[in-house]
């Protein structure tokens, strides 16, 4: 049987957060976790392959214990197995180490895989690095930003649109594909799926020791990149503030800046006085 | 780890006239090299690349490493990342910079992994610190924060940079540089991926990156229906519509319109910004906007602080008001 591994990540659900009216920024501390949207598309691609030719789908995530939620969700959607790689020592991993941890599990416990699917990028980092680095460490080819995947037994055909090129590629298996966010529309949970997940709730939990990451393993210390400073860029400009009734404000805007606006538009406006009405 | 002082820039010449990112990065590499005392080098793989090598010299490269071979006629992630790794091992550059085209974004992580080194995605700036390390400056998750990142131990120090982040130097016809050519190594592995068809289809639409007026809408527009009004405004203003990520995620506008770290850098003469908070992942792409008019009901939003004109109003109402004002006052 075809063995598919899907790597999914839990991310904070920032899009539904309220903003702080004083500072104008999001209240991120209120964020709940959700499955990263691109990871959901990757899972969807796996589910469609499973429906058309049968497959065993193993969903893997590395994250805190709380990330178990998205594995239950993946199983409810149709994944056969859920694996959580979690350990304090995994915290602070950059993409190099994240892909190393994922690869260590796959090499150790699912070496008979045919296909690995990832999202092309996660909403909380957008690095798009974990997929290709995982492929590299597994010594398999990869195709990123895939639009559509056609499964053909010994190989896959992948369509994608990158850098203004529409490409059709053929890749030998085993291989890795990262799925573009806009390609596969993720399905909603079906009731049947929720039942499945309840009947078979097991999630496999694996720590650093079981992965043989080494006695002194520390994701933070082992990551080749290091954050040395985090700061808030200063942005306050000397600027003009317009407020009041909308009509008044708009009139004022055109009176004061109509010239700039009309020149950028390449059209003449009567609102401002400077051009003397040609 | 020992390394020479060279700063390498991947020569991403495909789609040459639209894709200026290599030239932009070369310009920054010239600044960096003036601090480190290193040399700026471009690396080119392809078939018939002589023109590009010369162009890179005219834009700041002192050396160009070239592998020119019919087998390199089309871009291949596997082959290019293997060759880049092979060359890096041979010459141990101090730094390797790659443009964040889709190709570069896929190649750079593989090269970093093969070389066992770090890689920072989508830097908004690059500097050299007093230890002569490359400081990779990138937006950081959580609020309006920017992170400084270094690669303390491993080499090369690697980073990707979005198109439009830096400005290319003017073409210098007098510039001199050395072109160093190599044959393909014998042990280059066979590709596991075959390109069956490839069609070049540049989008016909006017590009937001080049628009003189951009009308950017954020979540403060309120709904898909209200957001649509921005397209009407754009039409009468001869402008392009941009959007923030929540807008794109909610499908009020398509991905092409995304402005920011995950989307496009823009450089309009005037930017109208409606209901946008001004998160760093978005504003990093606005540094070349010449004049910013922001509308937000919250006067303290970052976007309002960085605007030239901050209009405190309901975004949707203001949009309707501006449409009306223009329609009434336009002289055809
Ligand atoms: C790795 C990563 C990459 C990212 N890349 C991008 C990117 O490329 N581009 C991007 O845009 N974002 C990106 N983001 C998201 C970014 O961090 C912000 O979440 C996003 O830019 C906020 O969009 P917004 O301003 O539309 O929404 P919000 O932050 O929700 O702001 C809405 C604003 O509208 C105002 N408002 C509300 N109601 C009204 C009203 N009636 N009238 C007027 N104003 C009103 C509010 O005061 C607020 O300031 C990225 C995030 C991450 C983590
Ligand atoms: N912690 C993680 N656990 C499992 N998969 C991950 C993790 N981080 C990233 N990925 C996978 O890599 C893809 C790209 O992530 P990124 O490189 O962070 O943008 C995601 O869509 C996931 O498929």
């Amino acid at each position: 049987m075809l063995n598919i591994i899907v790597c999914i990540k839990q991310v904070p659900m920032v899009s539904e957060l309220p903003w702080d009216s004083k500072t104008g920024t999001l209240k991120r501390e209120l964020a709940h976790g959700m499955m990263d949207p691109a990871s959901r598309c990757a899972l969807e691609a796996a589910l469609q392959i499973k429906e058309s030719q049968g497959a065993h789908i193993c969903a893997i995530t590395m994250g805190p214990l709380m990330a178990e939620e998205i594995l239950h969700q993946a199983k409810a959607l149709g994944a056969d197995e859920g694996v959580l790689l979690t350990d304090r020592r995994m915290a602070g991993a950059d993409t190099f180490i994240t892909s190393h941890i994922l690869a260590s599990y796959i090499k150790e416990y699912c070496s008979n895989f045919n296909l690995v699917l990832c999202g092309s990028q996660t909403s909380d980092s957008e690095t798009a690095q974990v997929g290709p680095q995982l492929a590299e460490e597994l010594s398999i080819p990869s195709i990123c930003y895939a639009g559509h995947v056609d499964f053909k037994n010994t190989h896959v055909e992948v369509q994608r649109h990158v850098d203004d090129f529409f490409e059709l590629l053929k890749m030998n298996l085993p291989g890795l594909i990262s799925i573009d966010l806009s390609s596969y529309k993720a399905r909603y949970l079906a009731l049947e799926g929720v039942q499945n997940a309840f009947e078979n709730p097991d999630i496999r939990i694996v720590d650093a020791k079981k992965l043989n990451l080494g006695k002194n393993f520390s994701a933070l210390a082992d990551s080749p990149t290091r954050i040395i400073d985090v700061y808030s860029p200063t942005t306050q400009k000397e600027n003009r503030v317009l407020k009041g009734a909308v009509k008044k404000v708009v009139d004022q805007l055109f009176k004061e800046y109509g010239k700039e606006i009309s020149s950028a538009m390449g059209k003449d406006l009567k609102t401002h006085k400077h051009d003397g009405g040609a | 780890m020992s390394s020479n002082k060279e700063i390498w820039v991947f020569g991403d010449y495909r789609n040459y006239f639209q894709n200026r990112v290599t030239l932009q990065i070369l310009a920054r590499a010239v600044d960096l090299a003036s601090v480190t005392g290193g040399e700026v080098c471009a690396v080119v793989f392809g078939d018939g690349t002589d023109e590009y090598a010369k162009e890179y010299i005219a834009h700041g490269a002192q050396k160009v490493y070239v592998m020119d071979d019919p087998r390199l006629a089309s871009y291949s992630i596997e082959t290019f990342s293997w060759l880049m790794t092979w060359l890096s091992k041979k010459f141990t550059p101090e730094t390797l910079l790659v443009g964040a085209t889709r190709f570069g974004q896929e190649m750079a992580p593989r090269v970093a992994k093969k070389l066992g080194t770090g890689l920072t995605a989508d830097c908004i700036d690059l500097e050299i610190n007093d230890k002569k390390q490359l400081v990779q400056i990138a937006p950081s998750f959580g609020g309006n924060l920017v992170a400084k990142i270094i690669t303390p131990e491993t080499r090369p120090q690697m980073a990707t940079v979005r198109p439009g982040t830096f400005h290319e130097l003017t073409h210098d016809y007098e510039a001199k540089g050395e072109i160093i050519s190599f044959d393909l190594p014998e042990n280059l592995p066979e590709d596991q991926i075959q390109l069956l068809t490839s069609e070049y289809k540049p989008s016909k639409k006017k590009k937001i990156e080049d628009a003189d007026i951009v009308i950017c809408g954020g979540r403060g527009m309120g709904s898909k229906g209200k957001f649509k009004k921005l397209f009407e405004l754009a039409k009468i203003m001869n402008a392009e519509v941009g959007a923030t990520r929540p807008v794109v995620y909610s499908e009020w506008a398509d991905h092409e319109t995304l402005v920011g770290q995950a989307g496009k850098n823009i450089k309009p003469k005037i930017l109208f910004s409606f209901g946008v908070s001004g998160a760093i992942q978005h504003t990093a792409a606005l540094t070349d906007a010449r004049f910013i008019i922001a509308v937000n009901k919250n006067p303290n939003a970052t976007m309002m602080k960085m605007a030239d004109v901050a209009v405190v109003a309901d975004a949707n109402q203001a949009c309707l008001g501006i449409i009306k004002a223009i329609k009434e006052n336009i002289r055809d």
Side-chain angles (χ1 to χ4, degrees):
Chain A
M1 166 124 75
L2 181 63
N3 276 308
I4 303 180
I5 293 168
V6 187
C7 296
I8 60 179
K9 187 181 181 189
Q10 189 180 48
V11 296
M13 192 187 310
V14 285
S15 61
E16 269 118 66
L17 285 184
W19 46 78
D20 186 324
S21 60
K22 284 222 184 69
T23 59
T25 57
L26 290 179
K27 297 187 172 173
R28 281 175 203 269
E29 60 284 3
L30 300 179
H32 291 287
M34 65 171 192
M35 197 189 304
D36 156 53
S39 301
R40 271 197 81 158
C41 295
L43 179 60
E44 179 60 38
L47 293 171
Q48 290 187 18
I49 294 173
K50 179 176 173 179
E51 279 161 3
S52 65
Q53 43 239 304
H56 177 271
I57 300 178
C58 173
I60 305 180
T61 190
M62 180 201 82
L65 272 174
M66 184 181 101
E68 194 180 325
E69 286 170 22
I70 62 165
L71 294 169
H72 287 297
Q73 191 189 347
K75 287 182 76 176
L77 285 163
D80 300 283
E81 207 185 329
V83 179
L84 173 63
L85 312 178
T86 189
D87 197 301
R88 266 215 203 119
R89 290 191 287 153
M90 293 178 188
D94 68 1
T95 62
F96 190 95
I97 296 295
T98 302
S99 53
H100 174 61
I101 294 169
L102 294 169
S104 303
Y105 180 82
I106 295 170
K107 284 186 194 163
E108 184 77 25
Y109 298 102
C110 349
S111 52
N112 62 341
F113 71 91
N114 306 91
L115 182 63
V116 181
L117 293 171
C118 286
S120 55
Q121 68 278 86
T122 46
S123 63
D124 68 340
S125 80
E126 297 267 1
T127 71
Q129 287 173 191
V130 171
Q133 294 204 318
L134 176 58
E136 190 58 51
E137 196 157 339
L138 294 171
S139 308
I140 55 173
S142 65
I143 297 175
C144 296
Y145 309 105
H148 186 77
V149 180
D150 229 346
F151 191 79
K152 314 253 184 190
N153 293 318
T154 58
H155 69 273
V156 282
E157 285 185 12
V158 177
Q159 295 170 20
R160 66 172 182 179
H161 177 197
V162 291
D163 300 332
D164 284 344
F165 289 84
F166 284 85
E167 296 181 339
L168 179 63
L169 300 143
K170 177 182 164 191
M171 177 171 73
N172 295 338
L173 293 178
L176 180 144
I177 300 171
S178 87
I179 305 288
D180 200 43
L181 189 55
S182 51
S183 333
Y184 281 86
K185 199 138 192 87
R187 68 189 64 191
Y188 287 100
L189 267 185
L191 193 60
E192 181 198 358
V194 179
Q195 271 163 358
N196 272 347
F198 270 110
E199 280 161 21
N200 176 16
D202 295 352
I203 297 294
R204 178 163 190 189
I205 296 183
V206 180
D207 63 11
K209 203 163 148 212
K210 277 198 216 128
L211 284 182
N212 294 321
L213 292 172
K215 226 170 68 208
N216 298 322
F217 171 81
S218 151
L220 194 61
D222 295 351
S223 290
T225 56
R226 193 138 311 149
I227 296 178
I228 49 169
D229 189 16
V230 175
Y231 60 99
S232 180
T234 44
T235 40
Q236 182 69 61
K237 238 189 206 175
E238 279 284 323
N239 62 8
R240 178 93 171 89
V241 178
L242 303 177
K243 52 183 162 194
V246 170
K247 169 117 183 41
K248 192 189 110 202
V249 175
V250 170
D251 284 349
Q252 212 173 341
L253 179 70
F254 279 93
K255 206 164 133 216
E256 292 180 32
Y257 303 100
K259 192 171 171 206
E260 286 82 356
I261 296 172
S262 84
S263 121
M265 279 169 65
K267 285 183 188 168
D268 211 3
L269 294 175
K270 305 183 271 206
T271 45
H272 59 101
K273 308 280 179 287
H274 314 282
D275 65 350
Chain B
M1 197 181 173
S2 78
S3 64
N4 69 21
K5 286 181 173 176
E6 290 180 352
I7 300 178
W8 284 16
V9 180
F10 170 58
D12 189 351
Y13 55 82
R14 185 167 72 164
N15 202 359
Y16 192 72
F17 294 102
Q18 268 79 45
N19 175 13
R20 312 294 287 182
V21 70
T22 308
L23 306 183
Q24 293 162 358
I25 300 178
L26 279 171
R28 188 45 152 204
V30 169
D31 299 337
L32 300 175
S34 71
V35 184
T36 62
E39 272 183 304
V40 176
C41 310
V43 181
V44 182
F45 307 126
D47 182 22
T49 54
D50 200 40
E51 239 180 286
Y52 302 117
K54 288 184 181 145
E55 182 83 354
Y56 295 149
I57 289 171
H59 282 268
Q62 291 154 284
K63 266 188 204 166
V64 186
Y65 294 107
V66 177
M67 288 201 189
D68 202 283
D69 190 289
R71 281 170 287 173
L72 302 179
S74 56
Y75 268 41
S76 152
I77 294 287
E78 288 175 281
T79 301
F80 281 28
S81 54
W82 194 91
L83 292 175
M84 184 61 95
T85 306
W86 185 87
L87 271 182
S88 302
K89 284 190 174 156
K90 202 169 163 71
F91 293 101
T92 59
E94 180 74 4
T95 294
L96 170 55
L97 305 174
V98 177
T101 57
R102 289 295 203 207
F103 187 85
Q105 283 174 313
E106 190 175 347
M107 183 192 79
R110 293 201 77 130
V111 173
K113 194 75 179 198
K114 281 184 208 277
L115 292 171
T117 191
L119 170 66
T120 302
D122 300 329
C123 292
I124 56 175
D125 209 350
L126 298 167
E127 288 170 1
I128 302 290
N129 67 11
D130 49 12
K131 291 187 194 142
K132 303 255 164 114
Q133 291 164 318
L134 180 75
V135 182
Q136 305 139 44
I137 303 177
S140 157
F141 183 65
N144 203 31
L145 298 173
V146 175
K148 289 191 169 180
I149 298 162
I150 55 168
T151 309
E153 275 141 32
T154 53
R155 291 293 175 270
Q157 310 165 91
M158 288 184 65
T160 65
V161 176
R162 293 247 162 203
T165 304
F166 301 124
H167 301 273
E168 64 185 74
L169 298 168
T170 49
H171 194 108
D172 176 3
Y173 293 92
E174 312 281 285
K176 295 242 166 358
E178 193 184 350
I179 295 182
I180 304 164
S181 298
F182 297 89
D183 291 333
L184 279 194
E186 304 261 319
N187 55 340
L188 174 67
E190 203 179 311
D191 260 0
Q192 295 299 308
I193 297 172
Q194 228 183 306
L195 184 61
L196 300 179
T197 59
S198 172
E199 206 182 330
Y200 176 54
K201 265 201 203 157
S203 105
K204 286 211 189 65
K205 278 203 304 209
K206 200 171 146 205
K207 295 210 164 172
I208 186 170
E209 300 97 303
D210 302 324
D212 279 344
I213 306 183
V214 174
I215 295 175
C216 223
R219 199 142 63 102
M221 281 306 291
S223 69
K224 186 170 185 165
K226 291 175 179 166
F227 192 90
K228 268 205 187 119
K229 289 286 167 194
L230 296 181
F231 287 98
E232 185 180 336
L233 178 57
K235 195 154 174 230
I236 58 176
M237 290 193 93
N238 219 348
E240 296 298 313
V241 170
T244 63
R245 202 178 67 172
V247 164
V248 171
Y249 272 16
S250 317
E251 299 179 355
W252 299 355
D254 59 48
H255 197 274
E256 288 293 292
T257 62
L258 180 61
V259 173
Q261 185 194 351
K264 309 259 168 51
N265 277 5
I266 57 173
K267 47 176 192 311
K269 290 183 181 151
I270 299 189
L271 168 66
F272 283 89
S273 181
F274 289 94
V276 173
S277 61
I280 185 71
Q281 291 86 5
H282 178 72
T283 58
L286 311 178
T287 44
D288 286 338
R290 248 187 272 162
F291 194 79
I292 301 178
I293 300 172
V295 183
N296 198 306
K297 64 176 187 190
N298 175 1
N300 298 315
T302 310
M303 198 62 230
M304 297 285 268
K305 295 185 178 164
M306 62 181 284
D308 298 277
V309 184
V311 180
V312 186
D314 177 88
N316 182 52
Q317 293 300 320
C319 171
L320 296 175
I322 294 173
I323 290 175
K324 190 156 169 277
I326 293 183
K327 277 190 176 160
E328 283 169 2
N329 291 295
I330 207 156
R331 280 192 253 234
D332 291 308

